[in-house]
Amino acid sequence: ERWPWKMTELGGGWTEHVDPKSGRKYYANAGSQETRWEYPRELLGPGDVADWDERLDPNSGRVYYYNKKTQETSWTAPKGYEKKRSAEGEEVGSWQSKLDEASGRTYYYNTVTKATSWTRPASLAEEEEAATEAATEAAAETRESAEAAEAKRELTVGELVEKYAGYEFRTYAEAHFQLYRKGVFKSKTEVEKVTRWKNEVIRGALLNLKDGELNGEAVQMFRNVTGFMGDRGSGKSRLEHCQKILSNMLQSPEELRDEVYCQLVKQLTANPSAESSARGWQLLAACLATFPPSDELAPYLGSHCARSAEGDDGAAFCLRALSKICELGTRRELPTVVELESTLRRERALVRVFFLDAKFVAVPVDSWTTAAGCVEAVCDLLGVRSRAPFALFEASTEDEERALDPEERVLDLVAYWHRLEVEARAKLGKQASLEEFHFQFKVRFFLEVPDDDQAAVEMLYVQAKHDVVDARYPCSEQDAVTLAALQLQEEFGDKPEPDCPYLKGNLGKYLAQKFLRPEDKEAAADDPEPKLLKLYAKLAGYSRPEARLSYLDYVKSWKIYGSAYFYAEPKQNRDLPTQLVIAVNLKGLLLVDPDTKDFLQEYPYSQIVTWGHSPNSFVVVVGDAAKQTKIYFKTEQGREINLVVRAYVDNLAQRAAP
């Protein structure tokens, strides 16, 4: 007996199948014995004809047909398609240009009427103009894509050196340094002297600080700078000096942060000690991992780094770091010791990123690595091409999770977790059981991915089986058993005979808790295991990709599949309960009763006119041009709902675009 999902009836003698080797869908016609990879065009309804458009092949001059939704091309017109005609009533594409070998002249040949002409037909000019417009549009799209990639690209050291070529730190010092500082009477000192290395502690801030009370702190910071660099003796370790500076700067105003950067430039200028200079670049890197200079100082600091970048790895490292910190801004937490030591060595640290099946990868990151950058790194390691669905999450042992903002810094979050642990240990004791955190890579937006993107399909499959077994989606026992059978086939292949050892003590890995028979209950008709084994046996011959895709096809048919859930209280609506769940997915919004799991209302995106949010609410307007209804919800997750809805609507708009 064949498994029912192995073949799907499409009508007209056509059936849909899954190739067990590649996992791709193909189509077969039992009457004509024909098979093809493309969806049969003869099955397309009249509404689908509008998705087709005529285009001109510049190499052959022939007209071909292009489907804007499926990206399919064909030399023959789809069924029901009306060919475009020129102003003279001729079919577009009927004229072709050819070369007369005898005379060397170009003549024109009509493939429909077989007529020839030395005069260029007007319809051919229209076609070539349309082809030019199409080529121009394609070039514009390519250019926009290239520009977007260029914007994301990190500038090279050479490009950064060129960027800061017009700036001199001396110019900044002349405008902002406190130059009247010489002797008892505070006579004016020379700029070259005040911006050069000094082995003595300064008596006052380098900058003209608006807040005079910061002068003492500036002097103390200089003590820490010179202590770290070894320019003066100190009883503290270099790491202690570094932590002191960073801790103070996280809580200090911008002008004091600029003061520290100016002190570092001073001690790195004409420094007679190579060791002291190397340490100075290390300390500058640590500062650039924590807080940025002001917009006014940044290019002058960049020019100082650029002067030494080509011959000093420390300077080049700081030059790149400056560009990153100016974009990211000040971090929230003091870097951990591990992060600081990695930064001082100009190395990356490793963080574990877990998947829902408890596997993990070790990802190299630095102080400037964002959640978006970490997602890119994981996708590179896995070979995932379709990256839009995935995100990095903060997950805890208390079953709480949070999707990280794309620009959130990975190691800044690690430092936050570390601080929470230190504070909890101090309060509860070293042996106390504490909430633990980790990074998790999983699906955030359940978007369509190509079947041949096997790494992305696998991640969607891992997510789907986790959510099913975790009872995230309401489903019947029959659905659960069917999916469990596909999961067994994907994991182990064909069922061994006569006995199957895979379920012994592991049934909870494949079925939600509510479907399991209590251990003290004797075997009965409602025991799901025999049903599961029977269905598993019917899957003999299914490949791993085929079982995986079948599993995904099954769950995708559910209205609730891929939903993000948000608790909310509807306002000014007597037809809804006082509390409900807003489920947001690729298809639209579902309002769900949290107790019965019944669907109360369904709003596909085609019915959503607009939406918005505030810190404690979400509002959606549904209807059409004639009648619209505004629905208010009280919720603290308005921003997240808005973000998820926006992601799906944008995706639908991109898919619908020609």
Side-chain angles (χ1 to χ4, degrees):
E1 182 180 353
R2 300 296 290 172
W3 190 245
W5 293 281
K6 198 149 188 166
M7 179 179 70
T8 303
E9 294 284 351
L10 300 178
W14 287 96
T15 52
E16 182 183 86
H17 304 258
V18 177
D19 177 43
K21 292 184 178 180
S22 66
R24 291 178 59 192
K25 293 179 181 178
Y26 69 93
Y27 305 90
N29 190 298
S32 64
Q33 301 297 307
E34 181 185 359
T35 60
R36 62 175 71 160
W37 291 110
E38 299 82 15
Y39 190 88
R41 287 194 303 278
E42 51 266 46
L43 298 181
L44 295 173
D48 300 306
V49 173
D51 297 332
W52 290 88
D53 197 8
E54 293 178 11
R55 297 194 177 180
L56 187 68
D57 177 35
N59 294 322
S60 66
R62 293 175 60 192
V63 167
Y64 67 96
Y65 302 90
Y66 172 75
N67 190 299
K68 293 173 285 188
K69 284 191 176 180
T70 66
Q71 284 78 54
E72 183 182 357
T73 58
S74 172
W75 290 112
T76 58
K79 184 179 179 181
Y81 183 86
E82 293 186 7
K83 294 186 177 182
K84 294 181 179 178
R85 295 182 176 274
S86 68
E88 289 76 20
E90 296 174 321
E91 287 185 6
V92 173
S94 56
W95 285 98
Q96 296 181 8
S97 60
K98 294 182 178 292
L99 183 68
D100 178 42
E101 295 182 359
S103 65
R105 292 175 60 190
T106 298
Y107 71 96
Y108 303 94
Y109 171 74
N110 192 301
T111 58
V112 176
T113 65
K114 313 302 182 185
T116 59
S117 172
W118 291 109
T119 306
R120 187 165 176 258
S123 61
L124 184 59
E126 294 175 12
E127 296 166 20
E128 292 177 347
E129 183 180 349
T132 302
E133 290 178 1
T136 301
E137 291 177 4
E141 292 177 1
T142 302
R143 186 169 58 254
E144 289 174 4
S145 177
E147 288 173 353
E150 178 67 16
K152 291 176 62 178
R153 183 181 66 85
E154 186 177 319
L155 295 179
T156 65
V157 170
E159 290 169 331
L160 290 169
V161 169
E162 185 177 349
K163 176 181 177 181
Y164 298 122
Y167 297 90
E168 288 290 339
F169 189 77
R170 173 193 172 93
T171 305
Y172 179 86
E174 288 175 340
H176 299 279
F177 270 32
Q178 191 178 156
L179 299 178
Y180 291 90
R181 57 192 303 127
K182 188 176 180 181
V184 178
F185 299 103
K186 304 295 182 185
S187 57
K188 188 176 181 179
T189 189
E190 298 176 356
V191 173
E192 287 77 5
K193 185 175 181 180
V194 77
T195 56
R196 197 169 53 209
W197 177 84
K198 184 178 183 180
N199 64 348
E200 299 175 359
V201 176
I202 58 175
R203 298 178 181 179
L206 298 178
L207 293 173
N208 280 307
L209 300 177
K210 296 177 182 178
D211 186 350
E213 295 183 2
L214 296 178
N215 195 68
E217 291 188 44
V219 173
Q220 183 57 45
M221 287 302 101
F222 190 80
R223 290 180 178 274
N224 283 297
V225 168
T226 53
F228 180 94
M229 295 176 65
D231 296 336
R232 69 175 186 85
S234 173
K236 295 180 180 178
S237 68
R238 293 173 58 223
L239 195 61
E240 287 176 311
H241 282 299
C242 182
Q243 288 176 316
K244 184 69 174 179
I245 293 171
L246 300 184
S247 178
N248 285 355
M249 290 305 101
L250 280 175
Q251 305 171 54
S252 296
E254 185 176 69
E255 60 177 340
L256 191 58
R257 295 174 181 175
D258 281 355
E259 169 72 20
V260 169
Y261 279 122
C262 289
Q263 291 176 6
L264 280 165
V265 171
K266 172 183 174 67
Q267 293 304 102
L268 282 166
T269 302
N271 191 322
S273 169
E275 183 178 3
S276 173
S277 291
R279 290 179 176 180
W281 291 117
Q282 287 181 323
L283 183 55
L284 181 57
C287 291
L288 291 169
T290 310
F291 58 93
S294 67
D295 292 341
E296 188 173 11
L297 173 61
Y300 297 98
L301 180 59
S303 71
H304 176 78
C305 296
R307 286 174 56 190
S308 305
E310 294 184 3
D312 192 309
D313 291 341
F317 185 84
C318 289
L319 187 59
R320 291 190 294 267
L322 173 63
S323 177
K324 297 174 187 176
I325 195 66
C326 287
E327 181 178 346
L328 293 172
T330 306
R331 61 187 290 157
R332 298 181 305 171
E333 300 289 330
L334 181 70
T336 63
V337 171
V338 173
E339 180 185 350
L340 269 181
E341 290 177 341
S342 297
T343 302
L344 296 178
R345 294 193 303 268
R346 300 195 294 275
E347 296 176 354
R348 293 191 164 199
L350 291 176
V351 297
R352 289 185 175 183
V353 177
F354 289 84
F355 308 111
L356 287 172
D357 56 4
K359 297 177 182 177
F360 69 88
V361 290
V363 181
V365 297
D366 57 29
S367 298
W368 305 273
T369 302
T370 61
C374 192
V375 168
E376 289 293 316
V378 174
C379 287
D380 287 341
L381 289 171
L382 299 180
V384 172
R385 300 199 313 272
S386 308
R387 305 187 173 191
F390 303 102
L392 194 65
F393 286 74
E394 173 190 44
S396 80
T397 51
E398 300 293 329
D399 289 330
E400 293 184 357
E401 65 179 31
R402 176 181 67 90
L404 302 186
D405 289 336
E407 296 306 312
E408 196 165 347
R409 273 167 277 193
V410 169
L411 290 182
D412 200 14
L413 186 56
V414 171
Y416 172 68
W417 295 343
H418 176 71
R419 179 169 64 81
L420 289 183
E421 181 182 1
V422 170
E423 291 173 353
R425 293 286 181 208
K427 183 178 180 180
L428 302 175
K430 294 183 178 181
Q431 305 302 319
S433 178
L434 304 177
E435 182 178 17
E436 297 179 359
F437 298 89
H438 63 272
F439 292 111
Q440 196 169 74
F441 177 89
K442 65 174 189 172
V443 181
R444 187 181 191 187
F445 306 117
F446 289 75
L447 308 174
E448 294 292 337
V449 301
D451 288 350
D452 61 354
D453 190 351
Q454 295 184 14
V457 170
E458 182 175 0
M459 294 308 303
L460 285 168
Y461 169 71
V462 168
Q463 179 100 30
K465 68 180 183 180
H466 172 273
D467 290 345
V468 168
V469 175
D470 200 41
R472 183 174 174 80
Y473 305 128
C475 70
S476 67
E477 181 176 316
Q478 180 59 46
D479 284 343
V481 169
T482 300
L483 291 169
L486 285 166
Q487 186 179 343
L488 284 166
Q489 183 70 21
E490 194 276 342
E491 187 172 349
F492 299 107
D494 294 349
K495 176 182 175 295
E497 297 293 348
D499 298 321
C500 176
Y502 306 140
L503 294 180
K504 189 174 182 181
N506 291 320
L507 195 57
K509 179 181 176 182
Y510 304 94
L511 289 171
Q513 185 66 36
K514 65 180 180 180
F515 298 123
L516 301 182
R517 176 174 52 85
E519 294 182 4
D520 59 350
K521 183 178 179 181
E522 301 202 6
D526 61 350
D527 185 359
E529 187 169 337
K531 303 174 190 176
L532 173 54
L533 292 173
K534 183 179 179 180
L535 287 174
Y536 179 23
K538 291 182 179 181
L539 285 169
Y542 254 53
S543 66
R544 283 193 69 190
E546 190 174 6
R548 192 180 297 155
L549 289 171
S550 295
Y551 192 108
L552 286 172
D553 286 343
Y554 198 107
V555 296
K556 285 178 183 178
S557 68
W558 297 343
K559 291 181 181 179
I560 201 73
Y561 169 73
S563 292
Y565 299 134
F566 306 96
Y567 280 98
E569 300 176 15
K571 296 298 181 183
Q572 302 173 0
N573 194 319
R574 297 179 180 179
D575 297 331
L576 297 173
T578 56
Q579 283 194 330
L580 51 72
V581 171
I582 302 175
V584 185
N585 59 37
L586 182 60
K587 304 181 182 92
L589 272 63
L590 291 169
L591 305 186
V592 184
D593 188 309
D595 297 322
T596 65
K597 306 298 186 295
D598 292 336
F599 299 152
L600 305 172
Q601 298 284 351
E602 300 178 31
Y603 301 114
Y605 290 115
S606 59
Q607 295 180 12
I608 296 177
V609 180
T610 186
W611 70 94
H613 77 287
S614 72
N616 57 5
S617 70
F618 177 75
V619 61
V620 60
V621 179
V622 299
D624 52 32
K627 183 180 179 181
Q628 299 178 1
T629 303
K630 185 179 290 186
I631 309 172
Y632 291 92
F633 299 95
K634 181 181 178 182
T635 175
E636 295 181 355
Q637 297 175 291
R639 177 179 177 273
E640 179 68 11
I641 300 174
N642 184 80
L643 190 152
V644 176
V645 171
R646 168 60 62 190
Y648 285 128
V649 170
D650 286 348
N651 177 260
L652 290 172
Q654 291 171 8
R655 290 165 57 191

